[in-house]
Amino acid sequence: MEKFTAHVGTAVPLRRSNVDTDQIIPAVYLKRVTRTGFEDGLFAAWREDPDFVLNNPAYAGATILVAGPEFGTGSSREHAVWALCDYGFRVVISPRYGDIFRGNSLKQGLLTVELPVEAVEELWDLVESRPTTTVEVDLEALEVRADGRVWGFTLDSFSRWRLLEGLDDIGLTLRHEDRISAFETQRPAWGVVVS
Amino acid sequence: MSRTLAQKVWDSHVVRKADGEPDLLYIDLHLLHEVTSPQAFDGLRIAGRKVRRPDLTIATEDHNTPTDNLLTISDPVSRTQIETLRRNCEEFGIRLHPLGDPEQGVVHVMGPQRGLTQPGMTIVCGDSHTSTHGAFGALAFGIGTSEVEHVLATQTLPQNTPKQMAVTVTGELPPGITAKDLILALITQVGTGGGRGHVVEYRGPAIEKLSMEGRMTVSNMSIEWGAKAGLIAPDDTTYAWLEGRTFAPKGRDWEAALDAWRALPSDPDAVFDSEVTLDAGTLSPFVTWGTNPGQGAPLSASVPDPESFQSEAERAAARRALEYMDLRPGVPLREVAVDVVFVGSCTNGRLEDLRLAADVLRGRKVADGVRMMIVPGSAAVRAQAESEGLHEVFTAAGAEWRFAGCSMCLGMNPDTLKPGQRSASTSNRNFEGRQGKGGRTHLVSPAVAAATAVVGRLAAPADL
Ligand code: SF4
């Protein structure tokens, strides 16, 4: 995983709540067996509407998505995170996320920032009135800054450390392989074995 | 110290605990399907890693498979994904139930039916409805593809300790009201984010009275209100269901397992971080009118007025949902006409669900212009249903009797709604386009689905 310390970019306002992962990437786009090229599936149904915000040239090149509460609920498909990343997003800001989506995003280096509803509304107003507004997302300082305003956010210290260091989870776990082997010797003898 | 069921399962699976880090949990069973696994296997290959415990891993084919035949996957991209799973399972030594196998089926139907799902286990799958297995008192939750790779490589997962919530369902379900009505009503009460960050335990007399099938329906939809997992304490109903299944412990092992399982239920004075209560006695057939599972109402109600909701976010969401669903406020839900009725999925594709639908359809006909699809959750469910003659009831009524798979639960295989079509569906998600682009979904119970098919409009068996 790439390190994430801070990101500066422009932002897209997505004034919707309950943006489930079926909207972020519909199921027909999940058939691929590779890990790249999912940008065409991002919000595929909504992008057919010329008025959809991602079709607004004013937001071309934006790297931060600002959405309403319950972003990424529903299906566990990590493809939703891949689609956002492949499209060019580095950060999502929303008041609340679906848990699985949040976990997936932090493993892929897509920073999902939680800000209160009021802050999200301020950001929406700001980038709607001036789409070129630069938004700074600082993981070291745990701050979002835009137009002279500053919003603090929190992230559990382990996820933050992993993102700042760009660490691979599996590698970290395999450091404790002896513990895993020791645990395995104590599992009940009648436990399920498939083969 | 007294502990909840979920805490007991959690504690007995901690491989490593360290300050400021998530607990490292051991995973007893890892279920795989074709959609969320290919990139995980690629990751293993790139890193030169093996699957640590192929003997605790099992795969099935479900999302992409056709349900009109057992031989041909006509879409080449779907076929490639299935073939990739077959190759990966072969290369890494993982047992697979492919299309045509007598145990093939939706992953969350297959696991319990084989007796793989047992109390006190930790179970994961790259699929959000893994919560289904919580019905047996297992700690079961959905994971993403990165985590699938992590479990394949290490048989563990780092997990932050969740909060504990109790959902207490008092009273008794009125006759004809099912687990599906219960869970749909609960989600409307608590909202799609109500369970976020929590492991939930469903308890109380109405839950204890449910069959294993009903309990699975409830646990299945835990994720629809944001809960990480939804457990139900194991009891005699659980043990009776499990005993004798292929992978259930036998003989002396069965006795040892029972002793361990009987110690699992939450201690009487266990503390939950929060509690929700619901009176089962007040429930009636429940359906959704909107585009998330929290937008539901009793069948006897009318399409709500978006302006009647409390927050602006809810009002905006309701306005958008009604526009997408092409519904007008104030229209009685019983007047909403449907094009397609789908009975199936890991929510309601088990034998009991098919029996419920057959009871309603027996001697009746599906209304003109309505297409009804009955899709068993697994090949084994299909075989059982046929041995009871249920398929004859369905075909005599004019419904389609299909092969097992996810089918119209999600728009990934040939079974989809056409743009603008409206369905009554026993599945779990009414998201925009979930059943096919432009399709409109009303979530219902199997009984309501069958009655709706007969009437042509949303209906309950009592309306017939
Ligand atoms: S039946 Fe539906 S919810 Fe269940 S695993 Fe298949 S697609 Fe997912």
Side-chain angles (χ1 to χ4, degrees):
Chain A
M1 182 168 76
E2 238 177 276
K3 285 187 188 186
F4 190 114
T5 46
H7 176 75
V8 182
T10 55
V12 191
L14 182 62
R15 279 196 186 259
R16 286 186 194 182
S17 58
N18 274 295
V19 177
D20 58 75
T21 52
D22 273 80
Q23 304 319 312
I24 300 175
I25 184 163
V28 283
Y29 292 91
L30 311 186
K31 298 184 184 187
R32 289 184 198 132
V33 295
T34 53
R35 203 154 180 157
T36 51
F38 286 94
E39 63 274 11
D40 55 343
L42 182 70
F43 299 122
W46 292 350
R47 268 159 76 191
E48 287 180 10
D49 171 5
D51 292 332
F52 181 57
V53 67
L54 280 196
N55 293 326
N56 183 342
Y59 298 107
T63 51
I64 300 166
L65 183 69
V66 187
E70 320 308 346
F71 187 86
T73 51
S75 154
S76 67
R77 55 189 73 167
E78 197 159 313
H79 311 68
V81 173
W82 303 336
L84 286 161
C85 293
D86 291 352
Y87 191 86
F89 286 110
R90 295 296 317 277
V91 179
V92 181
I93 299 174
S94 159
R96 282 189 302 274
Y97 298 91
D99 282 335
I100 306 179
F101 172 83
R102 185 106 202 266
N104 290 342
S105 68
L106 297 173
K107 287 203 160 49
Q108 288 296 312
L110 174 74
L111 179 59
T112 37
V113 175
E114 269 187 358
L115 288 185
V117 177
E118 304 73 48
V120 164
E121 276 168 4
E122 267 187 81
L123 276 167
W124 279 341
D125 292 343
L126 202 59
V127 299
E128 277 171 2
S129 60
R130 198 158 48 84
T132 54
T133 306
T134 20
V135 179
E136 290 176 65
V137 181
D138 186 338
L139 183 58
E140 271 169 318
L142 291 170
E143 281 176 1
V144 175
R145 298 182 287 266
D147 197 39
R149 272 171 273 186
V150 180
W151 299 274
F153 65 92
T154 57
L155 183 66
D156 72 90
S157 54
F158 188 72
S159 299
R160 177 167 171 266
W161 170 70
R162 278 182 49 254
L163 282 164
L164 288 171
E165 302 293 328
L167 289 172
D168 162 18
D169 245 3
I170 300 179
L172 284 177
T173 296
L174 286 175
R175 291 183 195 172
H176 309 296
E177 218 197 318
D178 53 332
R179 306 283 288 268
I180 302 174
S181 300
F183 184 92
E184 282 174 331
T185 63
Q186 295 162 23
R187 300 178 70 235
W190 45 264
V192 164
V193 175
V194 174
S195 41
Chain B
M1 219 187 77
S2 50
R3 293 176 300 167
T4 67
L5 161 62
Q7 283 166 334
K8 292 181 194 181
V9 183
W10 185 285
D11 290 349
S12 64
H13 288 82
V14 174
V15 170
R16 177 177 176 271
K17 225 178 183 37
D19 269 355
E21 291 185 40
D23 287 353
L24 191 63
L25 287 190
Y26 199 80
I27 302 302
D28 291 323
L29 180 67
H30 187 190
L31 304 163
L32 297 173
H33 63 75
E34 73 273 15
V35 183
T36 53
S37 63
Q39 295 86 354
F41 283 110
D42 270 351
L44 289 186
R45 267 187 292 267
I46 290 165
R49 291 172 177 141
K50 288 215 268 292
V51 174
R52 182 179 178 92
R53 294 298 300 264
D55 59 335
L56 304 183
T57 312
I58 187 166
T60 185
E61 300 170 358
D62 53 9
H63 286 63
N64 274 288
T65 49
T67 61
D68 59 349
N69 79 86
L70 290 176
L71 298 172
T72 324
I73 305 167
S74 46
D75 175 1
V77 194
S78 288
R79 195 165 60 234
T80 303
Q81 199 166 57
I82 296 271
E83 284 165 356
T84 304
L85 178 69
R86 291 177 186 171
R87 264 203 314 278
N88 284 329
C89 286
E90 166 132 32
E91 178 182 339
F92 290 94
I94 292 166
R95 186 157 185 174
L96 167 71
H97 292 309
L99 190 61
D101 183 280
E103 299 291 348
Q104 176 265 345
V106 180
V107 61
H108 312 305
V109 179
M110 183 274 289
Q113 109 199 342
R114 303 229 69 198
L116 286 164
T117 302
Q118 297 172 15
M121 290 174 73
T122 48
I123 302 177
V124 297
C125 174
D127 196 285
S128 57
H129 293 100
T130 309
S131 58
T132 311
H133 308 264
F136 291 79
L139 181 66
F141 51 93
I143 57 179
T145 298
S146 296
E147 292 172 309
V148 170
E149 183 181 339
H150 194 285
V151 177
L152 288 172
T154 70
Q155 204 57 34
T156 64
L157 262 189
Q159 289 288 306
N160 290 315
T161 331
K163 285 190 269 192
Q164 307 284 322
M165 188 190 289
V167 173
T168 305
V169 188
T170 58
E172 205 177 318
L173 284 173
I177 307 306
T178 65
K180 185 64 166 287
D181 302 302
L182 189 164
I183 189 67
L184 286 174
L186 175 75
I187 299 170
T188 293
Q189 179 182 320
V190 296
T192 53
R196 215 173 57 107
H198 289 81
V199 161
V200 166
E201 181 178 334
Y202 301 98
R203 55 209 317 234
I207 299 292
E208 286 161 25
K209 275 200 128 181
L210 290 176
S211 65
M212 283 320 293
E213 280 93 339
R215 293 179 189 185
M216 284 189 258
T217 301
V218 170
S219 289
N220 173 274
M221 292 194 72
S222 303
I223 186 68
E224 305 311 332
W225 56 290
K228 181 176 183 75
L231 287 75
I232 295 172
D235 58 11
D236 289 343
T237 306
T238 321
Y239 311 140
W241 203 89
L242 257 173
E243 193 170 8
R245 293 195 184 251
T246 311
F247 287 103
K250 306 277 175 331
R252 228 187 273 152
D253 282 349
W254 175 254
E255 298 305 321
L258 275 183
D259 284 345
W261 296 342
R262 290 203 169 110
L264 284 171
S266 296
D267 298 325
D269 49 351
V271 181
F272 292 87
D273 298 288
S274 53
E275 182 171 8
V276 174
T277 55
L278 186 72
D279 178 0
T282 63
L283 296 175
S284 62
F286 214 86
V287 302
T288 62
W289 49 266
T291 53
N292 71 57
Q295 292 176 322
L299 176 64
S300 55
S302 299
V303 176
D305 182 349
E307 305 318 311
S308 68
F309 289 95
Q310 266 176 2
S311 73
E312 177 46 32
E314 278 176 295
R315 287 193 289 273
R319 278 194 289 269
R320 220 195 119 70
L322 291 195
E323 191 191 319
Y324 182 85
M325 294 294 289
D326 191 28
L327 291 172
R328 270 178 302 110
V331 173
L333 286 164
R334 279 198 165 89
E335 285 176 16
V336 175
V338 306
D339 307 296
V340 176
V341 174
F342 171 64
V343 174
S345 88
C346 59
T347 313
N348 281 129
R350 285 171 287 267
L351 189 60
E352 181 181 281
D353 303 308
L354 301 189
R355 284 185 189 146
L356 275 174
D359 285 346
V360 177
L361 289 176
R362 199 166 279 119
R364 296 197 169 98
K365 287 270 179 216
V366 173
D368 281 348
V370 173
R371 176 183 188 199
M372 184 181 203
M373 298 169 73
I374 316 255
V375 185
S378 70
V381 168
R382 186 180 147 96
Q384 284 168 314
E386 293 195 342
S387 73
E388 294 182 10
L390 301 186
H391 63 308
E392 281 157 12
V393 177
F394 297 137
T395 46
E400 297 169 32
W401 175 237
R402 318 271 298 189
F403 292 98
C406 293
S407 184
M408 205 183 262
C409 178
L410 92 171
M412 194 160 184
N413 54 67
D415 304 341
T416 53
L417 291 179
K418 296 194 190 75
Q421 274 190 328
R422 184 184 300 281
S423 78
S425 175
T426 66
S427 54
N428 43 50
R429 287 187 174 142
N430 51 344
F431 298 153
E432 289 181 26
R434 168 77 179 182
Q435 297 189 288
K437 202 166 127 193
R440 301 173 175 129
T441 304
H442 296 271
L443 299 178
V444 300
S445 72
V448 168
T452 299
V454 172
V455 176
R457 297 182 306 277
L458 292 177
D463 301 334
L464 300 176

